[in-house]
């Protein structure tokens, strides 16, 4: 089952840099505006490695990936990092729920996790992946031989055994940093052999679900295959592991937010005709002029009883509630478990059948984009003439994620939004250092 190990992490030296100036959100969550901000924070911000800007015209031998490797090498030579002895790291995040006032703490730990192919049924995915991000991350891993962000893994521990061991002591010293979303990230190193042995033993019978980082996980699998053909024994051995953060899916601090869909660029889209077609599969209730808070509240209440969405068009807002029997209209290629999911229902019946957006177009993000904030989705309808309709969604539950993943099935892309994200740069796993 799950095999975790301590590793000799590279960490930014607090005597050389402020952690606030160097850590980043995961590479795929960094907007161009955020990238600008990270560059301005200082010369050692990790964005230069994980999402760098080419300094010159790129060639096969001089490009953003080779520059990332050179950057990492120069920083190491300049003493910007310290290297720990083999350790794991307790990692907690304290945050307010978006739009709320409740303080939440999510706990986990960072370690080197063994890679397993999906058929081995130790690591389970819950979402499909895209080719382009995997190619990008593979090029970076080939150039640097290092993992800079953690793959977010879920395991089950109803007794909270590991969390109690790592966190229930008020006297620990923590390294802290607050990110741009006001999330407080706290990390402490653990090298005590007895503690490491307990955690390793407790994890040995666990199955893992990838929460975030599907592309990085599959990239690591691909690099492992490549490394097996290389002469360097150390690299070959350590390519069997990647840096992961393990979070107990039974803990109260695990939060999944909805991911809303905005549809744009459909020629001859007619709001009235669309609602007429949607009415064949859904009970349609006009909501009138509602703000995001009222719309999502109505959606949450309806979602307790049936699959529901809020459709926002330039003609108004509408609550769509699935009619009895509409689930049978979904393609038989989806299992009974999958057909219960709001996202499968939306993609199969509304995006594909009613609006004519193919799966290939969804995969290529044509005619669709994804937003966490319901206010932004509604604003897009009002402010962008190219936007046709926005769908507000209820979040997928952890029970649904668990059921789908352990059954060996997957959800559509962007079905889950585990909040908050894990920061990159808290620890770095350089594969050739772990010998």
């Amino acid at each position: 089952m799950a095999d975790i190990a301590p590793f000799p992490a590279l960490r930014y030296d607090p005597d050389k840099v402020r952690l606030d100036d160097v850590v980043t959100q995961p590479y795929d969550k960094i907007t161009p505006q955020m990238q600008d901000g990270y560059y301005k924070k200082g010369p050692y911000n990790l964005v230069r490695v994980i999402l760098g800007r080419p300094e010159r015209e790129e060639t096969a031998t001089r490009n953003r990936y080779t520059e990332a490797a050179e950057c990492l090498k120069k920083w190491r030579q300049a003493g910007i990092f310290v290297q720990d002895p083999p350790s794991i790291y307790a990692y907690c995040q304290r945050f307010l729920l978006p739009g709320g006032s409740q303080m939440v703490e999510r706990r986990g730990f960072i370690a080197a996790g063994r890679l397993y192919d999906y058929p081995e049924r130790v690591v389970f995915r819950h979402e499909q992946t895209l080719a382009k991000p995997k190619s990008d991350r593979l090029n970076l891993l080939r150039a640097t031989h290092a993992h800079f962000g953690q793959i977010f893994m879920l395991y089950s521990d109803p007794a909270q055994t590991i969390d109690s061991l790592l966190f229930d002591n008020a006297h620990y010293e923590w390294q802290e940093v607050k990110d741009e979303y006001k999330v407080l990230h706290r990390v402490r190193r653990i090298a005590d052999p007895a503690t490491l042995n307990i955690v390793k033993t407790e994890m040995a019978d666990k199955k893992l679900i990838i929460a975030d980082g599907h592309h990085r996980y599959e990239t690591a699998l691909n690099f492992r295959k490549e490394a097996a053909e290389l002469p360097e024994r150390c690299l070959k051995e350590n390519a069997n592991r990647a840096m992961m953060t393990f979070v107990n899916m039974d803990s109260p601090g695990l939060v999944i937010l909805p991911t809303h869909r905005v549809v744009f660029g459909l020629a001859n889209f007619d709001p009235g005709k669309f609602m007429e077609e949607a009415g064949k599969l859904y009970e349609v209730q006009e909501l009138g002029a509602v703000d995001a808070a009222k719309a999502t509240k109505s959606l949450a209440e309806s979602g307790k009883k049936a699959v529901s969405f809020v459709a926002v068009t330039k003609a108004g807002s509408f609550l769509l509630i699935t009619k009895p029997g509409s689930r049978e209209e979904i393609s038989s290629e989806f299992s009974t478990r999958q057909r219960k999911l709001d996202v499968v229902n939306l993609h199969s019946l509304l995006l594909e059948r009613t609006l004519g957006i193919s799966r290939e177009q969804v995969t290529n993000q044509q005619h669709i984009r994804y937003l966490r904030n319901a206010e932004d989705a509604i604003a897009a309808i009002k402010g962008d003439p190219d936007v046709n309709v926005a769908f507000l969604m209820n979040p997928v539950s952890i029970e649904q994620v668990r059921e789908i993943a352990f059954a060996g099935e997957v959800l559509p892309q962007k079905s889950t939004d585990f909040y908050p994200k894990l920061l990159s740069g808290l620890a770095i796993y350089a594969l050739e250092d772990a010998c």
Side-chain angles (χ1 to χ4, degrees):
M1 292 296 187
D3 179 3
I4 69 101
F7 66 104
L10 291 178
R11 291 203 291 166
Y12 281 101
D13 186 342
D15 293 332
K16 299 288 182 65
V17 296
R18 294 173 62 250
L19 200 58
D20 307 62
D21 294 333
V22 293
V23 295
T24 75
Q25 294 293 319
Y27 79 99
D28 56 333
K29 301 300 179 183
I30 299 175
T31 65
Q33 294 77 20
M34 292 168 69
Q35 187 184 34
D36 288 342
Y38 288 144
Y39 263 84
K40 292 174 182 176
K41 281 193 169 186
Y44 302 115
N45 189 281
L46 192 69
V47 75
R48 288 174 166 79
V49 175
I50 64 172
L51 201 65
R53 292 168 171 160
E55 296 181 1
R56 56 186 67 84
E57 184 176 350
E58 293 189 286
T59 67
T61 57
R62 296 288 303 181
N63 51 61
R64 69 195 68 191
Y65 308 109
T66 61
E67 289 175 3
E70 289 180 10
C71 193
L72 179 63
K73 181 179 178 180
K74 290 178 181 178
W75 292 357
R76 296 192 67 170
Q77 291 172 342
I80 300 304
F81 301 110
V82 293
Q83 187 163 36
D84 291 337
S87 309
I88 66 172
Y89 301 85
Y91 179 18
C92 70
Q93 297 161 288
R94 293 178 179 173
F95 57 97
L96 290 174
L97 291 176
S101 57
Q102 179 185 357
M103 183 65 69
V104 179
E105 180 172 278
R106 186 174 72 194
R107 296 175 171 185
F109 68 93
I110 305 170
R114 181 169 295 278
L115 300 167
Y116 294 91
D117 292 315
Y118 295 137
E120 295 179 83
R121 296 187 63 79
V122 176
V123 172
F124 296 79
R125 58 180 180 162
H126 80 269
E127 284 188 340
Q128 297 280 14
T129 56
L130 306 173
K132 187 175 179 180
K134 287 190 288 188
S135 174
D136 168 60
R137 291 301 96 180
L138 183 57
N139 286 332
L140 181 64
L141 186 52
R142 284 169 177 161
T144 62
H145 293 172
H147 295 281
F148 304 97
Q150 314 112 53
I151 299 164
F152 186 169
M153 290 291 193
L154 300 173
Y155 68 95
S156 180
D157 179 18
Q160 311 282 330
T161 304
I162 296 175
D163 282 355
S164 297
L165 176 67
L166 300 183
F167 292 92
D168 289 352
N169 189 319
H171 302 294
Y172 292 139
E173 292 187 6
W174 296 84
Q175 189 176 27
E176 298 184 350
V177 62
K178 187 170 286 189
D179 69 18
E180 53 267 74
Y181 300 108
K182 309 302 182 186
V183 178
L184 178 65
H185 302 257
R186 306 171 73 233
V187 178
R188 77 173 184 94
R189 185 172 70 85
I190 302 168
D192 171 60
T195 302
L196 296 179
N197 185 60
I198 293 172
V199 174
K200 183 177 180 66
T201 301
E202 287 290 332
M203 290 297 295
D205 66 345
K206 307 299 185 188
K207 295 182 178 181
L208 304 174
I209 297 174
I210 304 172
D212 269 339
H214 290 76
H215 294 94
R216 279 169 287 166
Y217 187 81
E218 294 179 15
T219 293
L221 289 175
N222 290 332
F223 183 74
R224 182 183 66 173
K225 294 177 184 176
E226 295 184 3
E229 305 299 322
L230 298 176
E232 297 92 338
R233 180 188 60 83
C234 180
L235 181 61
K236 186 182 304 187
E237 291 180 359
N238 293 319
N240 286 313
R241 295 184 181 274
M243 187 167 59
M244 304 175 184
T245 290
F246 300 88
V247 173
N248 182 8
M249 71 177 82
D250 300 304
S251 65
L254 191 66
V255 174
I256 306 177
L257 299 179
T259 302
H260 309 297
R261 272 69 170 155
V262 172
V263 174
F264 63 92
L266 297 180
N268 303 316
F269 175 81
D270 183 297
K273 186 176 180 181
F274 164 70
M275 295 310 305
E276 182 180 344
E277 290 297 312
K280 297 176 182 178
L281 296 167
Y282 300 89
E283 176 189 338
V284 178
Q285 297 180 8
E286 187 169 358
L287 297 178
V290 295
D291 57 19
K294 291 180 180 178
T296 53
K297 183 178 180 180
S298 297
L299 178 60
E301 288 299 318
S302 179
K304 294 175 182 178
K305 303 174 184 177
V307 170
S308 306
F309 317 102
V310 169
V312 185
T313 72
K314 290 179 171 58
S317 301
F318 306 86
L319 179 64
L320 306 183
I321 305 170
T322 186
K323 291 181 177 179
S326 63
R327 187 180 299 171
E328 283 66 39
E329 298 291 323
I330 298 173
S331 170
S332 60
E333 70 186 273
F334 294 102
S335 71
T336 301
R337 282 179 292 267
Q338 290 171 311
R339 291 186 213 181
K340 295 177 184 177
L341 297 171
D342 294 14
V343 288
V344 170
N345 199 294
L346 175 77
H347 280 244
S348 296
L349 299 184
L350 287 177
L351 297 187
E352 291 182 26
R353 179 183 299 189
T354 307
L355 293 176
I357 302 173
S358 70
R359 291 187 198 176
E360 181 180 6
Q361 288 175 317
V362 170
T363 299
N364 294 330
Q365 296 189 30
Q366 295 175 265
H367 298 301
I368 186 168
R369 60 176 180 261
Y370 306 91
L371 294 173
R372 172 187 292 166
N373 193 306
E375 292 179 354
D376 293 341
I378 294 174
I381 287 289
K382 298 177 179 178
D384 188 342
D386 196 39
V387 170
N388 307 115
V389 56
F391 295 104
L392 306 186
M393 308 283 293
N394 279 316
V396 176
S397 70
I398 187 59
E399 290 77 18
Q400 289 174 317
V401 172
R402 186 197 310 242
E403 182 183 20
I404 292 293
F406 284 157
E409 300 170 351
V410 294
L411 287 71
Q413 294 94 341
K414 303 294 185 181
S415 294
T416 57
D417 182 4
F418 287 87
Y419 183 84
K421 301 306 177 187
L422 307 174
L423 287 186
S424 295
L426 295 175
I428 296 171
Y429 181 29
L431 298 179
E432 287 151 325
D433 290 343
C435 292

